[in-house]
Amino acid sequence: MKSKFSIYIHWPYCLSKCPYCDFNSHVSKEKIDQDQYSSLIKKELDHYCEVMNSKNISSIFFGGGTPSLMDPSVVYEILNHIEKKFKFDDKTEITLEANPTSVELDKFRHYSDFGINRVSIGVQSLNDIDLKKLGRNHTSKEAIRAIEIAHQYFNSISIDLIYSRPGQKINEWKAELLQALALGTHHISLYQLTIEPKTTYEKLFKSGKLILPNEELSRELYLLTESVCKDYSLFKYELSNFSKKGHESIHNLNYWNSGEWVGVGPGAHSRIENKDGERISIINEYDPRKWQEYVKMSGFSSIKKQNLSQENICDEYILMSMRTSKGMSVNKYTDLGGHLDKTKLKSLTAGGYIKVNKNTNYLQITSKGSIISDFIISELAL
Ligand SMILES: C[S@@+](CC[C@H](N)C(=O)[O-])C[C@H]1O[C@@H](n2cnc3c(N)ncnc32)[C@H](O)[C@@H]1O
Ligand code: SF4
């Protein structure tokens, strides 16, 4: 049986730059040449088709930026090309990230006709004042409409929400979350507002004009989210992700379980096994213009390519898999050459922060441990 892998396609443009965001997203002054983008993505995919062994695809993800700015015909062409070059079927999860503005909603039907079966909507908040502060160019009403329309076309709907926002109160967050859950989404990605380097929010934060909730309140907001989601049968399967049974993101699980993926487009990353069986990490050129030039010239845009050592592979596996509720396979970690420090294991277990599932031999972070997960993971990985 052929092994499986995922494909990530990066669309690097947005209508405006949100003040908290440091993703590789750009506001283009010129009209975007979507046909050119499509042909270069196909060219970069062809490159990977040549360097990898033939494999089936388990998931495809159009991320951004704002991929819902893509013409549906471009999505169609790219998927059509992938189908010819690699193999996928009806079970392949095909996600597109969408911003909930009305212009983008008109395209949902076409995306669905062309094979998208999962949509990830950037709702962020259902509080209009906070949406403005986050620099979003949609209202809560538009976000709700987006979810309603998505129900008509997609089997699986995920929403992104940002919590731990300035001035956020427990009761208000509970009401907002309940409102979001009542809309019947199958999956929630919940991100704690983070101050990223070189963003407008960083300047505001440093000058004292933006004050975030303290650690204690952030924890309370997180724990509340976990219990409210559970009441709606959305279970935590990764530290920031909650899902109804059967709606866990196949694409993200592949990242967390150290699978293989090809990333095309500006700034996309890849982890692939080459024809000699070596695991390679690749980072593409970030700047959309330079990316175009590189792909035109040589068919690919990598600016960093590294053969991963066994130690690198072990580190990535523990760092990513310990974020999932299933945890890390101790057998797999050991087979990769990893060593767990017995003293640290003993003390974290005695404190109730981690446990080993005796049936599966997976090491897991407990509910108590989840609020200090970064500390636990760094303790175990070092
Ligand atoms: C690639 S971005 C978003 C896709 C889409 N353009 C949007 O904005 O809805 C993925 C998610 O990361 C989250 N995010 C980005 N920057 C963040 C930050 N500084 N703190 C917390 N969450 C952030 C947002 O929830 C966003 O939906
Ligand atoms: S949060 Fe989304 S819409 Fe806002 S700048 Fe980042 S990628 Fe673009």
Side-chain angles (χ1 to χ4, degrees):
M1 204 178 88
K2 285 180 186 172
S3 55
K4 293 200 167 184
F5 80 111
S6 302
I7 294 184
Y8 174 80
I9 298 135
H10 192 77
W11 169 267
Y13 304 108
C14 291
L15 290 179
S16 55
K17 184 81 185 172
C18 303
Y20 55 87
C21 175
D22 78 336
F23 278 81
N24 188 29
S25 61
H26 307 262
V27 179
S28 176
K29 288 195 188 103
E30 296 140 30
K31 191 174 178 319
I32 300 156
D33 186 341
Q34 299 220 14
D35 288 337
Q36 166 150 278
Y37 170 82
S38 161
S39 75
L40 294 175
I41 289 287
K42 288 189 275 184
K43 201 167 173 194
E44 202 164 36
L45 281 165
D46 288 347
H47 165 74
Y48 285 101
C49 191
E50 276 164 31
V51 298
M52 291 171 71
N53 284 319
S54 155
K55 284 176 184 150
N56 291 338
I57 299 171
S58 52
S59 65
I60 301 170
F61 196 102
F62 291 87
T66 307
S68 49
L69 295 174
M70 284 166 95
D71 290 340
S73 62
V74 171
V75 172
Y76 170 77
E77 273 182 39
I78 295 172
L79 288 178
N80 207 16
H81 192 75
I82 296 175
E83 198 169 17
K84 278 190 217 141
K85 294 275 166 173
F86 302 93
K87 259 192 126 169
F88 69 85
D89 55 32
D90 292 350
K91 290 200 192 87
T92 305
E93 177 190 272
I94 311 179
T95 305
L96 182 128
E97 274 181 346
N99 280 30
T101 64
S102 42
V103 185
E104 287 151 84
L105 299 189
D106 293 342
K107 299 179 192 160
F108 277 13
R109 180 164 61 87
H110 301 291
Y111 290 142
S112 150
D113 286 346
F114 295 153
I116 302 290
N117 50 30
R118 182 174 182 272
V119 72
S120 167
I121 305 174
V123 171
Q124 318 306 355
S125 166
L126 288 175
N127 174 320
D128 283 325
I129 296 171
D130 282 6
L131 281 173
K132 274 224 163 80
K133 286 187 195 153
L134 290 168
R136 304 292 295 182
N137 44 22
H138 59 85
T139 60
S140 59
K141 206 170 157 196
E142 281 176 303
I144 292 166
R145 183 87 191 111
I147 298 169
E148 285 166 357
I149 295 178
H151 274 295
Q152 294 171 28
Y153 299 112
F154 305 104
N155 300 334
S156 213
I157 301 167
S158 178
I159 60 169
D160 285 357
L161 291 175
I162 295 182
Y163 80 105
S164 202
R165 308 188 301 255
Q168 199 167 29
K169 303 210 169 47
I170 283 273
N171 283 346
E172 288 169 6
W173 173 237
K174 186 171 182 185
E176 197 179 332
L177 197 56
L178 285 171
Q179 195 188 355
L181 288 165
L183 298 166
T185 63
H186 307 98
H187 186 284
I188 291 189
S189 294
L190 177 84
Y191 300 107
Q192 177 170 351
L193 180 62
T194 319
I195 302 299
E196 302 292 354
K198 296 186 187 143
T199 57
T200 306
Y201 263 28
E202 187 193 40
K203 279 187 210 134
L204 293 173
F205 183 71
K206 281 188 170 164
S207 66
K209 289 186 185 138
L210 186 115
I211 297 160
L212 294 182
N214 62 24
E215 226 171 86
E216 185 55 35
L217 179 56
S218 294
R219 277 181 197 180
E220 277 182 49
L221 291 165
Y222 180 81
L223 292 175
L224 173 82
T225 308
E226 201 177 342
S227 86
V228 171
C229 282
K230 209 169 177 184
D231 292 343
Y232 273 77
S233 304
L234 269 92
F235 301 101
K236 184 170 79 172
Y237 71 106
E238 194 266 351
L239 289 167
S240 307
N241 286 277
F242 301 81
S243 158
K244 291 204 170 154
K245 291 274 173 243
H247 288 273
E248 297 82 2
S249 159
I250 294 173
H251 192 81
N252 286 342
L253 280 168
N254 187 40
Y255 292 153
W256 300 321
N257 290 321
S258 292
E260 260 192 283
W261 68 91
V262 162
V264 288
H269 294 208
S270 304
R271 290 285 182 286
I272 59 164
E273 209 177 83
N274 66 13
K275 287 185 173 164
D276 296 326
E278 296 158 325
R279 189 167 168 86
I280 320 271
S281 152
I282 299 167
I283 301 177
N284 287 357
E285 167 58 46
Y286 286 86
D287 179 79
R289 276 174 183 275
K290 286 192 194 158
W291 170 79
Q292 284 178 16
E293 294 314 314
Y294 288 163
V295 180
K296 267 188 218 161
M297 211 162 53
S298 43
F300 60 93
S301 66
S302 50
I303 49 164
K304 194 169 173 206
K305 200 168 171 189
Q306 186 192 357
N307 279 31
L308 294 178
S309 67
Q310 214 53 32
E311 197 183 338
N312 298 145
I313 296 171
C314 266
D315 287 349
E316 281 198 352
Y317 180 54
I318 192 166
L319 289 173
M320 300 302 276
S321 64
M322 283 303 287
R323 295 185 55 86
T324 65
S325 301
K326 190 175 175 192
M328 177 187 79
S329 160
V330 176
N331 297 352
K332 180 171 171 180
Y333 187 63
T334 315
D335 288 348
L336 288 170
H339 298 285
L340 289 164
D341 182 321
K342 288 209 175 95
T343 317
K344 284 179 184 167
L345 272 183
K346 225 174 164 183
S347 102
L348 288 167
T349 309
Y353 299 111
I354 57 168
K355 64 176 185 203
V356 174
N357 180 325
K358 294 220 169 73
N359 298 324
T360 57
N361 203 24
Y362 273 62
L363 182 65
Q364 301 166 334
I365 293 182
T366 61
S367 183
K368 182 178 175 190
S370 64
I371 45 181
I372 54 159
S373 55
D374 287 346
F375 169 75
I376 296 173
I377 295 171
S378 67
E379 277 289 282
L380 292 171
L382 289 176

